[in-house]
Amino acid sequence: MTTVLISGLGLIGSSLARVMRQSDEPITIIGDDPNDDTSQFLLDQQVIDERGTLVNAAKRADLIILAGPVSVIVNQLQQLTQVTLKPDVLVTDVGSTKTQVMQASKTLQHRGIAFMGGHPMAGSHESGGRAGRQNLFNGATYFLVNGSQTATQVERFEHLLQAAQLSWVTVTAEAHDQLVSEISHVPHVLAANLVNTAAHQLAHDPVGLNAAAGGFKSTTRIAGADPTMWTAIMMSNADAISTQLDTYIEQLEQIKQAIKTQDQDAIYQFFDRAQTTRQRLESKGDLQ
Amino acid sequence: MTTVLISGLGLIGSSLARVMRQSDEPITIIGDDPNDDTSQFLLDQQVIDERGTLVNAAKRADLIILAGPVSVIVNQLQQLTQVTLKPDVLVTDVGSTKTQVMQASKTLQHRGIAFMGGHPMAGSHESGGRAGRQNLFNGATYFLVNGSQTATQVERFEHLLQAAQLSWVTVTAEAHDQLVSEISHVPHVLAANLVNTAAHQLAHDPVGLNAAAGGFKSTTRIAGADPTMWTAIMMSNADAISTQLDTYIEQLEQIKQAIKTQDQDAIYQFFDRAQTTRQRLESKGDLQ
């Protein structure tokens, strides 16, 4: 019997619990979350078996998954250094950025506890434990950052999540944070900025937002996401994000200039290059 | 019997034909398009009844819909001044921008021909007559710009497209071009720029594009669209687009600065405002 403790029963934490429920191994899932409503819902749905707190339940766990925001994970890694854990426990997290988490895990690792960084690349504009689902990650990339885990621990962890058919990729914390900045954090800033710019300019025009067709809606869908979570992500990956925004703005200035001067060739090259790259992306995975 | 001539059997033109096919009125649809393959496909599917050319078929038409790119529409409006048309014919277009089209229609209007500008707010990253479908516009906004049409002509036109349950909105050409720049043209530039920036930066990282989760994919979906069409749109609405890009860049510089200096309050306000606006948009229509 494997005992899994998940701290943070939001979209990601509760979906991981749902995936593990499909495992062929007999497991007990203990859930830790301050939200009574979500916790009761997940108990009723038998997604979790018990409710507990991180500090009290940690000693019973074979696997501890920290599934809160990065700022919470960092605190919890400190708390866990005060608890006597099982000798072969694996502690891991699902934080959106990894440099800060890996840094914060050092004390725990120095005490001989196995820690491995993790980040499943799935998400939604929805949030919360009720929005979780067992197919949230299907076929997604799950990044792992090596800490002090053993090969056997990795294997057992991947086995527990087998039902999600994840694609496991090991990266360094720095490479991870660069990459997610490009494919997730910067797009998020751009979408939110577009919504804010349009809202300001459309304020005098009641027809405007109503008329927004597919393009605007799909481009800005992610701007509907939880501001608290995204603020925490920006705070924990500020360097990579602001540096990449510099590059983005520089290139945007160039195409703006081409449009302003009606440089037809430059405009065509710009859209043609984007179409080619976007079609390559499309052929490599399902559109969500 | 109403004879409708549609010039340009791409996504929009062929979808309008498909909608009109559901009308209770007996109609003949003549299609004009240089593409033999698409034209034959639409004949086989009985979406159009005949193939013709604009100049030859115009004299028989009660309704002429110019459904090519804006640059083509502008030329065709000149060509139509050389043809003897039915006295009560309505000429309209579906061009993505309206200022240039309304300007180009003046000669025709001075000759006593009724012209009305139009633009159905629907689109797709797909293009071409085979991609058209009868539900492309369902519930969408259809902008009309007053030219010299009569109220009866508007009524008959709207009746022919009744099956699409469009929301008809009359605007000035200038207001239209400002608005579509905000909700369609600028988002398109941003998405293409994001794909281009990421492509450049991810070139050394084979894992990158594969790992892109929902956020990146949905934000950049529209960057897969036809570069020729989008170049034409940029050329015909250059002022509004480049001016709005100025505003966008200015605000992006501000949030970039807040991220760089880790100004938590400013970052939170930014995402919170975006979420509120985006949720209002969501509640006003279906997500595509």
Side-chain angles (χ1 to χ4, degrees):
Chain A
M1 172 68 83
T2 303
T3 301
V4 179
L5 167 60
I6 302 178
S7 179
L9 300 171
L11 183 74
I12 303 293
S14 75
S15 295
L16 288 176
R18 288 172 169 98
V19 173
M20 290 183 182
R21 269 283 162 256
Q22 300 173 275
S23 159
D24 50 13
E25 272 186 62
I27 57 170
T28 299
I29 301 181
I30 310 172
D32 163 34
D33 197 285
N35 186 317
D36 291 332
D37 173 63
T38 303
S39 302
Q40 192 57 49
F41 173 82
L42 295 171
L43 276 170
D44 293 346
Q45 300 280 312
Q46 295 176 304
V47 174
I48 61 173
D49 300 294
E50 314 173 19
R51 215 180 151 183
T53 65
L54 179 69
V55 170
N56 290 330
K59 58 181 84 71
R60 293 167 51 205
D62 302 294
L63 171 65
I64 300 174
I65 302 177
L66 306 177
V70 169
S71 55
V72 173
I73 294 170
V74 166
N75 284 333
Q76 290 179 328
L77 286 167
Q78 295 310 314
Q79 284 172 33
L80 286 177
T81 62
Q82 311 299 319
V83 182
T84 306
L85 301 174
K86 283 194 177 179
D88 60 350
V89 66
L90 173 67
V91 182
T92 188
D93 80 307
V94 301
S96 312
T97 60
K98 299 267 66 78
T99 310
Q100 224 181 324
V101 169
M102 295 312 291
Q103 185 62 35
S105 73
K106 285 202 170 148
T107 314
L108 196 66
Q109 292 190 51
H110 288 156
R111 295 189 179 216
I113 301 298
F115 178 80
M116 169 175 80
H119 181 204
M121 286 301 292
S124 166
H125 57 290
E126 297 174 309
S127 60
R130 284 174 183 265
R133 49 185 206 273
Q134 67 183 36
N135 65 358
L136 183 72
F137 307 109
N138 278 9
T141 297
Y142 199 123
F143 286 113
L144 296 181
V145 180
N146 284 329
S148 47
Q149 83 283 7
T150 65
T152 310
Q153 286 174 322
V154 178
E155 209 172 277
R156 291 192 57 195
F157 180 70
E158 294 183 2
H159 185 75
L160 276 173
L161 291 171
Q162 199 168 23
Q165 298 179 290
L166 290 153
S167 170
W168 300 93
V169 177
T170 302
V171 285
T172 65
E174 294 70 27
H176 171 274
D177 290 358
Q178 281 286 333
L179 183 61
V180 294
S181 172
E182 281 166 7
I183 63 181
S184 167
H185 307 169
V186 166
H188 202 89
V189 173
L190 301 177
N193 197 49
L194 177 57
V195 168
N196 286 344
T197 313
H200 177 70
Q201 297 187 351
L202 296 174
H204 58 284
D205 185 348
V207 172
L209 287 175
N210 281 341
F216 189 82
K217 285 187 178 171
S218 66
T219 310
T220 61
R221 182 176 61 86
I222 55 175
D226 178 24
T228 303
M229 188 182 89
W230 281 96
T231 303
I233 289 174
M234 297 296 134
M235 296 293 287
S236 75
N237 205 16
D239 285 353
I241 296 167
S242 54
T243 304
Q244 285 163 17
L245 282 174
D246 278 334
T247 308
Y248 184 89
I249 291 173
E250 204 175 286
Q251 296 200 14
L252 192 58
E253 285 283 3
Q254 280 176 29
I255 184 64
K256 187 194 78 185
Q257 208 50 42
I259 294 167
K260 193 172 266 171
T261 59
Q262 304 201 31
D263 180 344
Q264 190 162 358
D265 288 348
I267 299 171
Y268 182 84
Q269 294 304 324
F270 170 83
F271 285 121
D272 188 49
R273 199 150 55 92
Q275 187 191 38
T276 306
T277 306
R278 188 62 182 76
Q279 283 172 346
R280 206 165 65 223
L281 170 62
E282 201 71 18
S283 67
K284 283 187 178 172
D286 295 324
L287 244 196
Q288 296 189 5
Chain B
M1 172 69 86
T2 302
T3 300
V4 179
L5 167 60
I6 302 179
S7 179
L9 300 171
L11 183 74
I12 303 293
S14 74
S15 296
L16 288 176
R18 287 172 169 98
V19 173
M20 289 183 181
R21 270 281 162 256
Q22 299 173 275
S23 160
D24 50 13
E25 271 187 61
I27 57 170
T28 299
I29 301 181
I30 310 172
D32 164 34
D33 197 285
N35 187 317
D36 290 332
D37 173 63
T38 303
S39 302
Q40 191 57 50
F41 173 82
L42 295 171
L43 276 171
D44 292 346
Q45 300 280 313
Q46 296 176 303
V47 173
I48 61 172
D49 299 294
E50 313 174 19
R51 212 179 153 184
T53 64
L54 179 69
V55 170
N56 289 331
K59 59 181 83 70
R60 294 167 49 205
D62 301 295
L63 172 64
I64 300 175
I65 302 177
L66 306 177
V70 169
S71 55
V72 172
I73 293 169
V74 166
N75 284 333
Q76 289 178 330
L77 286 167
Q78 296 308 315
Q79 284 172 33
L80 286 178
T81 61
Q82 310 299 319
V83 181
T84 307
L85 301 173
K86 284 195 177 180
D88 59 349
V89 65
L90 173 67
V91 182
T92 189
D93 80 306
V94 301
S96 312
T97 59
K98 298 266 69 78
T99 310
Q100 225 180 321
V101 168
M102 295 312 292
Q103 185 62 37
S105 72
K106 286 203 171 149
T107 314
L108 195 65
Q109 292 190 51
H110 289 156
R111 296 191 178 216
I113 301 298
F115 179 81
M116 168 176 80
H119 181 205
M121 285 301 292
S124 165
H125 55 292
E126 297 174 309
S127 58
R130 284 174 183 266
R133 48 187 206 274
Q134 67 182 39
N135 64 357
L136 182 73
F137 308 108
N138 278 8
T141 296
Y142 199 123
F143 286 113
L144 296 181
V145 179
N146 285 326
S148 47
Q149 83 283 7
T150 65
T152 310
Q153 286 173 320
V154 177
E155 209 172 278
R156 290 191 58 194
F157 181 71
E158 295 183 1
H159 185 76
L160 276 173
L161 291 170
Q162 198 168 23
Q165 298 179 288
L166 291 152
S167 169
W168 301 94
V169 177
T170 302
V171 285
T172 66
E174 295 69 28
H176 171 274
D177 290 359
Q178 281 286 333
L179 183 62
V180 294
S181 172
E182 282 165 7
I183 63 181
S184 168
H185 307 169
V186 166
H188 202 90
V189 174
L190 301 177
N193 197 50
L194 177 57
V195 168
N196 287 344
T197 312
H200 178 69
Q201 297 186 351
L202 296 173
H204 57 285
D205 185 349
V207 172
L209 287 176
N210 282 341
F216 188 81
K217 285 187 178 169
S218 67
T219 309
T220 61
R221 181 176 63 84
I222 54 175
D226 178 26
T228 304
M229 188 183 89
W230 281 94
T231 303
I233 289 174
M234 296 298 135
M235 297 293 287
S236 76
N237 204 16
D239 284 352
I241 296 168
S242 53
T243 303
Q244 285 164 17
L245 283 172
D246 278 334
T247 308
Y248 184 88
I249 292 173
E250 203 176 287
Q251 296 201 13
L252 192 57
E253 284 284 2
Q254 280 176 29
I255 183 65
K256 186 194 78 184
Q257 208 50 40
I259 294 167
K260 193 171 266 171
T261 59
Q262 304 201 30
D263 181 344
Q264 189 162 359
D265 287 349
I267 299 171
Y268 182 84
Q269 294 304 324
F270 170 82
F271 285 120
D272 189 49
R273 200 149 52 93
Q275 187 191 38
T276 306
T277 307
R278 188 60 182 77
Q279 284 172 345
R280 205 166 64 224
L281 170 63
E282 202 72 17
S283 68
K284 282 187 180 174
D286 295 324
L287 242 193
Q288 296 189 8

